[in-house]
Amino acid sequence: MLDNSVLPREVLRHGAYVCVRLAEGADARAVAGAAVRALAEKLGLANEFDPTGGPPAQSIAFLRRHGAAESAIADDGLTHADAVVHVAAPTAQPVSDFCAEATRLLGDAVRLRVIGGVVRPRTYTGAAMNNFAYAHQVVQQSGHLMPNAYLIPMSKTAAWWAKDWMERHTYFLPRYDDEGRMRSEGHALASAAGIACLLRRTYKYPTEPAPEGAYDFVTYFECADADVPTFHQVCASLRDVARNPEWSFVREGPTWHGRRVATWADLWSRRAIPRE
């Protein structure tokens, strides 16, 4: 069957990135003192900064702004965010409870923009692709070792969603001419340099395509300082439509670059937010 009924619909995880921007004239020290730690503890959210025994089942992470670059989709709430808080859980309730309670706690001192989605079973990954990529993927490490965080939301065009799932699948693999010469690398090879050093996490909107004003995908990466050039290399390769024709159907939101910190208070330890 070529319709989407064969694709996995099970939800494995829920997550949200809460983009936080100080309101004009707000006191960063007062914001730093908000009871966000107590809220996380009440909801059973474990800190991602120093994971032990793998990523926590229910987690929270704090990302302090380092810079941002705008792209095709304008999103001031993300572009100008001073900080991003990530929350995730196997069920939706802890995530929605955190977002609602954080909104109440912080009040008029901040402007919040929530971007999130769900994790589903992999759609196109067979045994060979799993062994090529996912079997060697980077797991989450301490924020001391991998301090860089990149958040890049994106959507696919209507032309992409008009394709059946089998045709979409072909864009992730290399393409060859009749003589066996590779014409384009496809997504898998274009991004291969990042397998060994970039942690990647992707949330999808619960329905495909996402409605107007929402993103189809929210992608997130972590890496060490030494691997920042590789991150940018992988992004450049994916955006090169000669190497990766899939990207002709992609519209990106801003690329937001943060640094992982250990606590909510660390986000506001200095008011001057650096810019790349």
Side-chain angles (χ1 to χ4, degrees):
M1 296 176 63
L2 296 183
D3 63 65
N4 287 336
S5 64
V6 301
L7 301 182
R9 307 309 304 163
E10 177 189 2
V11 173
L12 304 177
R13 196 163 177 79
H14 300 257
Y17 296 95
V18 183
C19 308
V20 186
R21 183 182 183 184
L22 282 177
E24 188 69 29
D27 184 353
R29 292 170 298 180
V31 172
V36 173
R37 178 177 177 177
L39 172 60
E41 291 176 350
K42 182 179 76 172
L43 296 175
L45 303 175
N47 200 320
E48 294 179 12
F49 189 80
D50 275 315
T52 57
Q58 297 191 171
S59 65
I60 188 166
F62 305 102
L63 315 172
R64 185 166 62 190
R65 180 191 178 91
H66 192 71
E70 295 183 342
S71 192
I73 301 176
D75 190 334
D76 287 349
L78 175 57
T79 298
H80 301 294
D82 295 314
V84 171
V85 179
H86 171 245
V87 288
T91 61
Q93 197 67 52
V95 176
S96 60
D97 285 352
F98 178 88
C99 294
E101 188 63 14
T103 299
R104 186 193 68 78
L105 280 174
L106 298 169
D108 294 336
V110 302
R111 302 290 179 263
L112 298 183
R113 160 89 163 108
V114 178
I115 306 170
V118 299
V119 176
R120 299 189 188 279
R122 296 176 188 133
T123 302
Y124 302 120
T125 303
M129 185 58 70
N130 182 75
N131 292 338
F132 172 77
Y134 295 101
H136 310 288
Q137 69 182 345
V138 176
V139 299
Q140 192 162 54
Q141 300 178 35
S142 165
H144 296 294
L145 298 175
M146 297 178 65
N148 295 283
Y150 293 92
L151 185 58
I152 314 175
M154 61 188 68
S155 287
K156 295 288 184 70
T157 64
W160 174 265
W161 296 114
K163 300 177 184 296
D164 64 65
W165 70 269
M166 281 193 176
E167 183 181 358
R168 284 183 240 150
H169 189 191
T170 66
Y171 285 85
F172 296 98
L173 300 172
R175 293 183 170 187
Y176 300 85
D177 63 22
D178 291 341
E179 283 71 47
R181 292 184 293 263
M182 186 183 294
R183 295 173 50 202
S184 61
E185 294 179 340
H187 189 122
L189 287 184
S191 60
I195 292 173
C197 62
L198 303 179
L199 177 140
R200 187 189 72 176
R201 175 169 62 219
T202 301
Y203 291 131
K204 298 180 179 181
Y205 196 82
T207 59
E208 294 180 346
E212 187 70 25
Y215 294 107
D216 292 318
F217 310 96
V218 183
T219 56
Y220 171 85
F221 301 87
E222 290 177 2
C223 68
D225 286 338
D227 297 314
V228 168
T230 300
F231 167 78
H232 290 296
Q233 173 194 335
V234 168
C235 289
S237 297
L238 288 170
R239 291 164 177 156
D240 183 346
V241 295
R243 297 178 66 177
N244 179 37
E246 173 208 5
W247 228 250
S248 62
F249 302 99
V250 172
R251 297 181 68 242
E252 293 183 48
T255 296
W256 189 89
H257 181 189
R259 301 281 288 186
R260 298 168 66 197
V261 297
T263 69
W264 169 260
D266 289 339
L267 294 175
W268 316 104
S269 60
R270 51 190 171 84
R271 180 63 186 91
I273 304 297
R275 300 294 190 265
E276 287 184 324

PDB file of all heavy atoms in Angstrom, residues 85-110:
ATOM      1  N   VAL A  85      14.442  25.867  27.595  1.00  0.00           N
ATOM      2  CA  VAL A  85      14.329  24.762  28.541  1.00  0.00           C
ATOM      3  C   VAL A  85      13.684  23.587  27.816  1.00  0.00           C
ATOM      4  O   VAL A  85      12.596  23.732  27.234  1.00  0.00           O
ATOM      5  CB  VAL A  85      13.487  25.150  29.774  1.00  0.00           C
ATOM      6  CG1 VAL A  85      13.375  23.964  30.737  1.00  0.00           C
ATOM      7  CG2 VAL A  85      14.092  26.353  30.474  1.00  0.00           C
ATOM      8  N   HIS A  86      14.351  22.438  27.836  1.00  0.00           N
ATOM      9  CA  HIS A  86      13.807  21.239  27.215  1.00  0.00           C
ATOM     10  C   HIS A  86      13.184  20.357  28.283  1.00  0.00           C
ATOM     11  O   HIS A  86      13.796  20.101  29.330  1.00  0.00           O
ATOM     12  CB  HIS A  86      14.916  20.459  26.494  1.00  0.00           C
ATOM     13  CG  HIS A  86      14.471  19.114  26.005  1.00  0.00           C
ATOM     14  ND1 HIS A  86      14.984  17.927  26.493  1.00  0.00           N
ATOM     15  CD2 HIS A  86      13.538  18.767  25.081  1.00  0.00           C
ATOM     16  CE1 HIS A  86      14.402  16.917  25.881  1.00  0.00           C
ATOM     17  NE2 HIS A  86      13.519  17.382  25.032  1.00  0.00           N
ATOM     18  N   VAL A  87      11.968  19.887  28.031  1.00  0.00           N
ATOM     19  CA  VAL A  87      11.318  18.927  28.927  1.00  0.00           C
ATOM     20  C   VAL A  87      10.799  17.770  28.079  1.00  0.00           C
ATOM     21  O   VAL A  87      10.332  17.977  26.948  1.00  0.00           O
ATOM     22  CB  VAL A  87      10.169  19.561  29.738  1.00  0.00           C
ATOM     23  CG1 VAL A  87      10.710  20.494  30.798  1.00  0.00           C
ATOM     24  CG2 VAL A  87       9.192  20.312  28.839  1.00  0.00           C
ATOM     25  N   ALA A  88      10.900  16.542  28.625  1.00  0.00           N
ATOM     26  CA  ALA A  88      10.472  15.367  27.876  1.00  0.00           C
ATOM     27  C   ALA A  88      10.022  14.280  28.831  1.00  0.00           C
ATOM     28  O   ALA A  88      10.510  14.181  29.964  1.00  0.00           O
ATOM     29  CB  ALA A  88      11.604  14.852  26.995  1.00  0.00           C
ATOM     30  N   ALA A  89       9.089  13.455  28.361  1.00  0.00           N
ATOM     31  CA  ALA A  89       8.569  12.359  29.177  1.00  0.00           C
ATOM     32  C   ALA A  89       7.860  11.365  28.264  1.00  0.00           C
ATOM     33  O   ALA A  89       7.456  11.707  27.147  1.00  0.00           O
ATOM     34  CB  ALA A  89       7.598  12.885  30.231  1.00  0.00           C
ATOM     35  N   PRO A  90       7.679  10.130  28.730  1.00  0.00           N
ATOM     36  CA  PRO A  90       6.957   9.142  27.922  1.00  0.00           C
ATOM     37  C   PRO A  90       5.481   9.477  27.723  1.00  0.00           C
ATOM     38  O   PRO A  90       4.861   8.990  26.779  1.00  0.00           O
ATOM     39  CB  PRO A  90       7.117   7.844  28.728  1.00  0.00           C
ATOM     40  CG  PRO A  90       8.303   8.065  29.601  1.00  0.00           C
ATOM     41  CD  PRO A  90       8.272   9.527  29.934  1.00  0.00           C
ATOM     42  N   THR A  91       4.915  10.276  28.612  1.00  0.00           N
ATOM     43  CA  THR A  91       3.522  10.692  28.484  1.00  0.00           C
ATOM     44  C   THR A  91       3.448  12.215  28.375  1.00  0.00           C
ATOM     45  O   THR A  91       4.380  12.925  28.751  1.00  0.00           O
ATOM     46  CB  THR A  91       2.687  10.232  29.690  1.00  0.00           C
ATOM     47  OG1 THR A  91       3.229  10.823  30.886  1.00  0.00           O
ATOM     48  CG2 THR A  91       2.720   8.714  29.810  1.00  0.00           C
ATOM     49  N   ALA A  92       2.333  12.707  27.903  1.00  0.00           N
ATOM     50  CA  ALA A  92       2.205  14.143  27.639  1.00  0.00           C
ATOM     51  C   ALA A  92       2.039  14.977  28.904  1.00  0.00           C
ATOM     52  O   ALA A  92       2.415  16.152  28.934  1.00  0.00           O
ATOM     53  CB  ALA A  92       1.023  14.383  26.702  1.00  0.00           C
ATOM     54  N   GLN A  93       1.497  14.392  29.972  1.00  0.00           N
ATOM     55  CA  GLN A  93       1.097  15.179  31.133  1.00  0.00           C
ATOM     56  C   GLN A  93       2.233  15.949  31.793  1.00  0.00           C
ATOM     57  O   GLN A  93       2.089  17.156  32.062  1.00  0.00           O
ATOM     58  CB  GLN A  93       0.397  14.289  32.159  1.00  0.00           C
ATOM     59  CG  GLN A  93      -0.404  15.058  33.202  1.00  0.00           C
ATOM     60  CD  GLN A  93      -1.605  15.765  32.593  1.00  0.00           C
ATOM     61  OE1 GLN A  93      -2.399  15.143  31.900  1.00  0.00           O
ATOM     62  NE2 GLN A  93      -1.731  17.068  32.832  1.00  0.00           N
ATOM     63  N   PRO A  94       3.393  15.322  32.100  1.00  0.00           N
ATOM     64  CA  PRO A  94       4.461  16.114  32.739  1.00  0.00           C
ATOM     65  C   PRO A  94       4.931  17.286  31.881  1.00  0.00           C
ATOM     66  O   PRO A  94       5.285  18.345  32.408  1.00  0.00           O
ATOM     67  CB  PRO A  94       5.580  15.092  32.952  1.00  0.00           C
ATOM     68  CG  PRO A  94       4.904  13.764  32.940  1.00  0.00           C
ATOM     69  CD  PRO A  94       3.771  13.910  31.966  1.00  0.00           C
ATOM     70  N   VAL A  95       4.932  17.094  30.571  1.00  0.00           N
ATOM     71  CA  VAL A  95       5.378  18.158  29.672  1.00  0.00           C
ATOM     72  C   VAL A  95       4.381  19.311  29.680  1.00  0.00           C
ATOM     73  O   VAL A  95       4.756  20.485  29.843  1.00  0.00           O
ATOM     74  CB  VAL A  95       5.572  17.608  28.242  1.00  0.00           C
ATOM     75  CG1 VAL A  95       5.953  18.731  27.274  1.00  0.00           C
ATOM     76  CG2 VAL A  95       6.643  16.511  28.229  1.00  0.00           C
ATOM     77  N   SER A  96       3.109  19.003  29.517  1.00  0.00           N
ATOM     78  CA  SER A  96       2.103  20.071  29.509  1.00  0.00           C
ATOM     79  C   SER A  96       1.997  20.734  30.878  1.00  0.00           C
ATOM     80  O   SER A  96       1.803  21.953  30.973  1.00  0.00           O
ATOM     81  CB  SER A  96       0.746  19.515  29.069  1.00  0.00           C
ATOM     82  OG  SER A  96       0.297  18.494  29.935  1.00  0.00           O
ATOM     83  N   ASP A  97       2.150  19.957  31.953  1.00  0.00           N
ATOM     84  CA  ASP A  97       2.096  20.538  33.302  1.00  0.00           C
ATOM     85  C   ASP A  97       3.252  21.504  33.519  1.00  0.00           C
ATOM     86  O   ASP A  97       3.070  22.576  34.121  1.00  0.00           O
ATOM     87  CB  ASP A  97       2.133  19.436  34.359  1.00  0.00           C
ATOM     88  CG  ASP A  97       0.820  18.683  34.481  1.00  0.00           C
ATOM     89  OD1 ASP A  97      -0.170  19.109  33.855  1.00  0.00           O
ATOM     90  OD2 ASP A  97       0.792  17.662  35.196  1.00  0.00           O
ATOM     91  N   PHE A  98       4.454  21.129  33.050  1.00  0.00           N
ATOM     92  CA  PHE A  98       5.591  22.029  33.223  1.00  0.00           C
ATOM     93  C   PHE A  98       5.357  23.335  32.464  1.00  0.00           C
ATOM     94  O   PHE A  98       5.594  24.424  33.009  1.00  0.00           O
ATOM     95  CB  PHE A  98       6.887  21.383  32.730  1.00  0.00           C
ATOM     96  CG  PHE A  98       8.079  22.296  32.859  1.00  0.00           C
ATOM     97  CD1 PHE A  98       8.821  22.332  34.030  1.00  0.00           C
ATOM     98  CD2 PHE A  98       8.435  23.164  31.825  1.00  0.00           C
ATOM     99  CE1 PHE A  98       9.893  23.204  34.171  1.00  0.00           C
ATOM    100  CE2 PHE A  98       9.505  24.041  31.957  1.00  0.00           C
ATOM    101  CZ  PHE A  98      10.238  24.058  33.135  1.00  0.00           C
ATOM    102  N   CYS A  99       4.909  23.242  31.228  1.00  0.00           N
ATOM    103  CA  CYS A  99       4.710  24.453  30.428  1.00  0.00           C
ATOM    104  C   CYS A  99       3.672  25.374  31.066  1.00  0.00           C
ATOM    105  O   CYS A  99       3.869  26.599  31.131  1.00  0.00           O
ATOM    106  CB  CYS A  99       4.293  24.072  29.008  1.00  0.00           C
ATOM    107  SG  CYS A  99       5.571  23.201  28.065  1.00  0.00           S
ATOM    108  N   ALA A 100       2.591  24.789  31.543  1.00  0.00           N
ATOM    109  CA  ALA A 100       1.529  25.591  32.150  1.00  0.00           C
ATOM    110  C   ALA A 100       2.000  26.235  33.447  1.00  0.00           C
ATOM    111  O   ALA A 100       1.767  27.431  33.692  1.00  0.00           O
ATOM    112  CB  ALA A 100       0.304  24.725  32.397  1.00  0.00           C
ATOM    113  N   GLU A 101       2.684  25.462  34.296  1.00  0.00           N
ATOM    114  CA  GLU A 101       3.108  25.986  35.587  1.00  0.00           C
ATOM    115  C   GLU A 101       4.244  26.994  35.427  1.00  0.00           C
ATOM    116  O   GLU A 101       4.309  27.983  36.168  1.00  0.00           O
ATOM    117  CB  GLU A 101       3.520  24.844  36.508  1.00  0.00           C
ATOM    118  CG  GLU A 101       3.806  25.249  37.947  1.00  0.00           C
ATOM    119  CD  GLU A 101       2.591  25.817  38.664  1.00  0.00           C
ATOM    120  OE1 GLU A 101       1.453  25.663  38.165  1.00  0.00           O
ATOM    121  OE2 GLU A 101       2.772  26.422  39.744  1.00  0.00           O
ATOM    122  N   ALA A 102       5.156  26.763  34.465  1.00  0.00           N
ATOM    123  CA  ALA A 102       6.235  27.726  34.233  1.00  0.00           C
ATOM    124  C   ALA A 102       5.662  29.061  33.763  1.00  0.00           C
ATOM    125  O   ALA A 102       6.145  30.133  34.151  1.00  0.00           O
ATOM    126  CB  ALA A 102       7.210  27.172  33.201  1.00  0.00           C
ATOM    127  N   THR A 103       4.632  29.012  32.954  1.00  0.00           N
ATOM    128  CA  THR A 103       3.973  30.236  32.510  1.00  0.00           C
ATOM    129  C   THR A 103       3.418  31.007  33.704  1.00  0.00           C
ATOM    130  O   THR A 103       3.541  32.235  33.790  1.00  0.00           O
ATOM    131  CB  THR A 103       2.842  29.898  31.524  1.00  0.00           C
ATOM    132  OG1 THR A 103       3.396  29.231  30.387  1.00  0.00           O
ATOM    133  CG2 THR A 103       2.121  31.161  31.067  1.00  0.00           C
ATOM    134  N   ARG A 104       2.831  30.291  34.636  1.00  0.00           N
ATOM    135  CA  ARG A 104       2.273  30.936  35.831  1.00  0.00           C
ATOM    136  C   ARG A 104       3.385  31.492  36.727  1.00  0.00           C
ATOM    137  O   ARG A 104       3.300  32.633  37.213  1.00  0.00           O
ATOM    138  CB  ARG A 104       1.425  29.941  36.620  1.00  0.00           C
ATOM    139  CG  ARG A 104       0.677  30.565  37.800  1.00  0.00           C
ATOM    140  CD  ARG A 104       0.107  29.511  38.719  1.00  0.00           C
ATOM    141  NE  ARG A 104       1.145  28.768  39.422  1.00  0.00           N
ATOM    142  CZ  ARG A 104       1.804  29.233  40.492  1.00  0.00           C
ATOM    143  NH1 ARG A 104       1.559  30.450  40.962  1.00  0.00           N
ATOM    144  NH2 ARG A 104       2.730  28.490  41.070  1.00  0.00           N
ATOM    145  N   LEU A 105       4.447  30.697  36.932  1.00  0.00           N
ATOM    146  CA  LEU A 105       5.529  31.114  37.822  1.00  0.00           C
ATOM    147  C   LEU A 105       6.239  32.376  37.317  1.00  0.00           C
ATOM    148  O   LEU A 105       6.581  33.263  38.085  1.00  0.00           O
ATOM    149  CB  LEU A 105       6.566  29.989  37.942  1.00  0.00           C
ATOM    150  CG  LEU A 105       6.271  28.823  38.880  1.00  0.00           C
ATOM    151  CD1 LEU A 105       7.347  27.761  38.723  1.00  0.00           C
ATOM    152  CD2 LEU A 105       6.207  29.305  40.331  1.00  0.00           C
ATOM    153  N   LEU A 106       6.471  32.433  36.026  1.00  0.00           N
ATOM    154  CA  LEU A 106       7.307  33.503  35.459  1.00  0.00           C
ATOM    155  C   LEU A 106       6.502  34.749  35.124  1.00  0.00           C
ATOM    156  O   LEU A 106       7.053  35.848  35.074  1.00  0.00           O
ATOM    157  CB  LEU A 106       8.045  32.982  34.228  1.00  0.00           C
ATOM    158  CG  LEU A 106       9.005  31.814  34.528  1.00  0.00           C
ATOM    159  CD1 LEU A 106       9.506  31.177  33.234  1.00  0.00           C
ATOM    160  CD2 LEU A 106      10.182  32.294  35.371  1.00  0.00           C
ATOM    161  N   GLY A 107       5.235  34.587  34.866  1.00  0.00           N
ATOM    162  CA  GLY A 107       4.351  35.735  34.666  1.00  0.00           C
ATOM    163  C   GLY A 107       4.806  36.685  33.579  1.00  0.00           C
ATOM    164  O   GLY A 107       5.281  36.272  32.515  1.00  0.00           O
ATOM    165  N   ASP A 108       4.694  37.986  33.874  1.00  0.00           N
ATOM    166  CA  ASP A 108       4.999  39.012  32.875  1.00  0.00           C
ATOM    167  C   ASP A 108       6.495  39.286  32.731  1.00  0.00           C
ATOM    168  O   ASP A 108       6.885  40.116  31.906  1.00  0.00           O
ATOM    169  CB  ASP A 108       4.296  40.321  33.259  1.00  0.00           C
ATOM    170  CG  ASP A 108       2.777  40.210  33.178  1.00  0.00           C
ATOM    171  OD1 ASP A 108       2.288  39.340  32.427  1.00  0.00           O
ATOM    172  OD2 ASP A 108       2.092  40.984  33.873  1.00  0.00           O
ATOM    173  N   ALA A 109       7.326  38.608  33.519  1.00  0.00           N
ATOM    174  CA  ALA A 109       8.764  38.871  33.459  1.00  0.00           C
ATOM    175  C   ALA A 109       9.410  38.312  32.204  1.00  0.00           C
ATOM    176  O   ALA A 109      10.527  38.714  31.843  1.00  0.00           O
ATOM    177  CB  ALA A 109       9.462  38.293  34.685  1.00  0.00           C
ATOM    178  N   VAL A 110       8.724  37.384  31.533  1.00  0.00           N
ATOM    179  CA  VAL A 110       9.298  36.759  30.349  1.00  0.00           C
ATOM    180  C   VAL A 110       8.243  36.629  29.264  1.00  0.00           C
ATOM    181  O   VAL A 110       7.042  36.767  29.507  1.00  0.00           O
ATOM    182  CB  VAL A 110       9.874  35.360  30.668  1.00  0.00           C
ATOM    183  CG1 VAL A 110      10.944  35.420  31.748  1.00  0.00           C
ATOM    184  CG2 VAL A 110       8.761  34.394  31.055  1.00  0.00           C
TER     185      VAL A 110
END
